Amino acid sequence: MGDPRVTVARRELASLGEEKTIVLALVLQLFIAAFSSFLVVGLVSLYDPGEMGGYEVDVAIAGDATDELVAAADGVTGVDSHVYPDAAAATDAFERPSETGIDAVLIGEVRDGRVYVSATVPDGNVQTTVVVVQLRDVLRNLETAERTDRAAWLSSLPVDLPPETRSSPYYGFTYTVLVPLLLFLPVFISGSLTVDSLAEERERGTLELLRVAPVSLREIVDGKLLAAAALAPAQAALWVVLLGFNGTRVANPLALLALVAALSALVCSLGAAVALLSPERRSAQFLYSIGVLFVFGGTALFPNNPVNTAARLAIGSADASSWVVVAAYVVVGVGVYVALRRLVGDVDANAL
């Protein structure tokens, strides 16, 4: 028998560690929320580089279709065209960017009445992404102009073109990236807290002190799991409210919270099972991380994966399949939790 004062001290240190972990997680999310505007602007630039203004791309143009390419480039903001007598001169200018300032090359050739364009861009740096996006818009303009010029040769219009629309990239980014990120980030944190809470109790030997109280091992695991799992939907609800104050309307909030709660129960149950079966805290965290990656990576292969379902619910375009998916996640979450309780009942508490 050890000194009971030492055991109590260990228990207090473990509880203090859990509280610090929860506070740190909340502080990190508050920090992210405080700089959300800057993050959104920066992440949208990665999500849609074409919307990043203030960058000029100098393009060397040569070949038989020079006039067509110059006209197409003039219709794209941020693209400056420079005409060269032939492909060799344009390529030579591209290979001396410090002297010429050329960022890319477009060579247009006319063969059998068709326009063939070859593009050369920088290899493997941050500039490449922006240059490729700008050249894509140039080629789209060229394609539109060619289709318009050749329309007179058609006796009838094959397909009616839909009306051209222009949506803000912030809309797509907000509902397909930002909202799912804010909803599912607390789920991962809750699962990690569950693993840490149980694994630390085993590693420090404080689980034995908890068993002195008139509670079973199953009740101990339930208390830790439910406390961590409840944080995810609570934080998700707070994010939804904050997004509403920021002018971002989120539809179907109750369905989203049900989805988050189901995934939280699923992830926390898996985390608790890993913590009970793994002898060390480090290995438990590693196995939990790999398991979560497999679970969410595997579901990403399905059309109604959690991210897609959350985005459709948040936008307000959910169909019957989305509601079925939410119900399925709830059933799976409850089923995994019930399986965990059976597992805990089969575990020998004295062996922990």
Side-chain angles (χ1 to χ4, degrees), residues 54-304:
Y55 188 86
E56 297 290 333
V57 176
D58 294 287
V59 182
I61 298 178
D64 302 331
T66 298
D67 294 338
E68 292 85 344
L69 286 173
V70 170
D74 291 342
V76 179
T77 303
V79 175
D80 293 331
S81 58
H82 303 270
V83 178
Y84 285 82
D86 51 41
T91 303
D92 180 69
F94 173 74
E95 294 175 349
R96 297 181 291 109
S98 59
E99 300 176 9
T100 61
I102 297 299
D103 300 310
V105 178
L106 290 177
I107 307 298
E109 299 179 357
V110 179
R111 299 195 299 266
D112 299 330
R114 297 184 177 183
V115 178
Y116 296 84
V117 180
S118 61
T120 305
V121 298
D123 182 21
N125 55 34
V126 178
Q127 180 188 11
T128 303
T129 303
V130 179
V131 172
V132 168
V133 171
Q134 296 291 74
L135 292 186
R136 179 195 63 187
D137 293 339
V138 173
L139 297 178
R140 283 178 176 174
N141 285 351
L142 175 64
E143 181 184 15
T144 302
E146 289 296 316
R147 289 181 180 274
T148 302
D149 294 340
R150 298 166 192 259
W153 297 92
L154 298 175
S155 58
S156 61
L157 191 63
V159 179
D160 293 331
L161 296 177
E164 184 177 357
T165 60
R166 179 66 175 170
S167 61
S168 171
Y170 291 94
Y171 181 83
F173 173 80
T174 298
Y175 289 102
T176 61
V177 177
L178 184 60
V179 170
L181 176 65
L182 295 179
L183 292 177
F184 298 141
L185 178 61
V187 173
F188 302 139
I189 294 177
S190 295
S192 181
L193 288 175
T194 304
V195 175
D196 261 346
S197 177
L198 289 172
E200 192 173 18
E201 296 281 6
R202 293 188 60 187
E203 191 174 60
R204 296 191 178 188
T206 53
L207 186 60
E208 183 178 357
L209 178 62
L210 288 178
R211 293 179 53 224
V212 175
V215 291
S216 63
L217 179 61
R218 181 177 293 172
E219 291 173 334
I220 294 174
V221 174
D222 280 346
K224 291 181 174 294
L225 185 149
L226 296 177
L231 288 176
Q235 292 181 63
L238 182 59
W239 282 124
V240 171
V241 172
L242 291 176
L243 287 172
F245 283 132
N246 199 35
T248 301
R249 177 183 172 272
V250 177
N252 302 307
L254 295 180
L256 289 172
L257 294 182
L259 176 62
V260 172
L263 292 176
S264 181
L266 170 62
V267 170
C268 290
S269 298
L270 292 177
V274 169
L276 291 174
L277 299 176
S278 179
E280 296 180 358
R281 179 182 178 185
R282 182 178 302 177
S283 60
Q285 279 288 1
F286 174 76
L287 292 175
Y288 162 76
S289 302
I290 296 298
V292 169
L293 287 177
F294 271 107
V295 170
F296 277 85
T299 56
L301 300 176
F302 299 99
N304 288 321

Side-chain angles (χ1 to χ4, degrees), residues 282-344:
R282 182 178 302 177
S283 60
Q285 279 288 1
F286 174 76
L287 292 175
Y288 162 76
S289 302
I290 296 298
V292 169
L293 287 177
F294 271 107
V295 170
F296 277 85
T299 56
L301 300 176
F302 299 99
N304 288 321
N305 57 71
V307 174
N308 189 19
T309 301
R312 298 182 67 178
L313 288 171
I315 294 174
S317 62
D319 55 8
S321 63
S322 299
W323 296 100
V324 171
V325 169
V326 173
Y329 283 127
V330 171
V331 172
V332 172
V334 174
V336 173
Y337 172 68
V338 172
L340 172 68
R341 288 179 58 85
R342 291 185 178 180
L343 173 65
V344 174

